[in-house]
Amino acid sequence: MIKKIAILGSTGSIGTQALDLCRRHPDRYRVTALTARGSKEKLFEQVREFRPEMAGLTEGINPAEIPADLKFCRWMSGKEALKAAAAEVDADQVLVSIVGIAGLQSVLDALEAGRQVLLANKEALVTGGHLVTDLAAKTGKPLLPVDSEHSAIFQCLQAAGGNRPEKILLTASGGPFRTWTAEAIAQATPEQALRHPNWSMGAKITIDSASMFNKGLEIMEARWLFDVPAEQIEVVVHPESIVHSAVVFRDGAVLAQLGLPDMRVPIGYAMAYPERLETGVEEPDLFALKSLTFEKPDERKFPALRLAREALKAGGAACTVFNGANEEAVAAFLRKEIPFGEIARRVEEAMDRLAGLPADCLEEILEADRRARDVVRSVPQ
Ligand code: NDP
Ligand code: MG
């Protein structure tokens, strides 16, 4: 059976790799919608190749700019484009691979329309975890994680026969600054932070990997996906990025998922679940690797992990504030307006100033996000 797939954020790192899998398996996938923010030319190319029913740019598209050979497709602009791709266009699966809290609304829209959600956008769970998981439970379809660690945990749990895990071991590469001193990290440049040792990803998540904010977001993501309290999620630094995460059971058994660091494996797993797809990725050569190493994270050098746990403990909108403040601070760092060390400081400041905000509904979550960004913008240098 051919699965119809809508891809939100198709021009990004995850989106293009998902399309690579669609290209490999034209007998299994038909792309029905594609969206991007502003990458017009790249989207034109994708529409030309995959011929979706609908395509859209959130930054808008002037009908006069649409090439004549692409007029077969319904073109949309702004938030309506995301809404149509998530919930209106005919699709079995919706891959939400846009960046940031912008993904929350799309995930809710897709779930409400009864779509199978393939979730790359971790921010939807970080900010609206209770709304997303409640809605997903009503649809009866599991949220299929695309994030490599969460895909690994999900795969391990498939073999658990309903047994609850005692603990989750969430692996982290440690990023480019793992061996740097705290003083050197504080002054790191965007060029240095964008040089990830193992993974090739979009800019925002690459910076988050360098600061370990990504791992903080992933603790929150795991808490919601697997209904496991934060105290049972341990971060394990594993610089080779071969073990993508592991699950510990009460009998002392540990199940882990291994593979090369290539996102086509977890993307393909989500796309084909419960089957497995040929992805073009080789198995890791264990003889060439020889050894795998594991370390405890250094929370003094990477305050993001402590802040993430504090946010989860505080509840309410604290995780949204953590996320929104970080998004805003990362953008300022990439514009070279603030030093790397300032990212965590501003997030902590926002969490202190905005303690106790509620997050019971989408409006409250978006309000907390706005206020967190305001704090980050207003902190004096
Ligand atoms: P990229 O920056 O590479 O791509 C993002 C995509 O979303 C692009 O198509 C972009 O369009 C579009 N986009 C960005 N912002 C918005 C917005 N506000 N509204 C609508 N569309 C938008 O990101 P990644 O592919 O790296 O990451 C996507 C998501 O997946 C993130 O949540 C990330 O945390 C998660 N993820 C990514 C991994 C990876 O390996 N890359 C691994 C695990 C999780 P345009 O090109 O026009 O800017
Ligand atoms: Mg990850």
Side-chain angles (χ1 to χ4, degrees), residues 118-132:
L118 318 186
L119 192 66
N121 177 274
K122 62 193 83 185
E123 298 88 340
L125 282 173
V126 166
T127 60
H130 55 302
L131 303 180
V132 171

Side-chain angles (χ1 to χ4, degrees), residues 3 14 25 31 40 45 80 82 95 99 143 227 229 297 310:
K3 285 187 184 172
I14 296 287
H25 298 282
V31 178
K40 214 180 298 167
E45 264 172 50
E80 288 73 44
L82 290 179
L95 170 61
V99 184
L143 283 167
D227 194 21
E310 283 173 13

Side-chain angles (χ1 to χ4, degrees), residues 103-105 107-108 111 117 119 121 123-139 141 143 224-225 365:
L104 175 57
Q105 181 72 59
V107 171
L108 294 174
L111 288 171
V117 173
L119 192 66
N121 177 274
E123 298 88 340
L125 282 173
V126 166
T127 60
H130 55 302
L131 303 180
V132 171
T133 50
D134 283 357
L135 204 51
K138 283 190 200 135
T139 69
K141 293 176 189 157
L143 283 167
W224 287 108
L225 275 174
I365 293 168

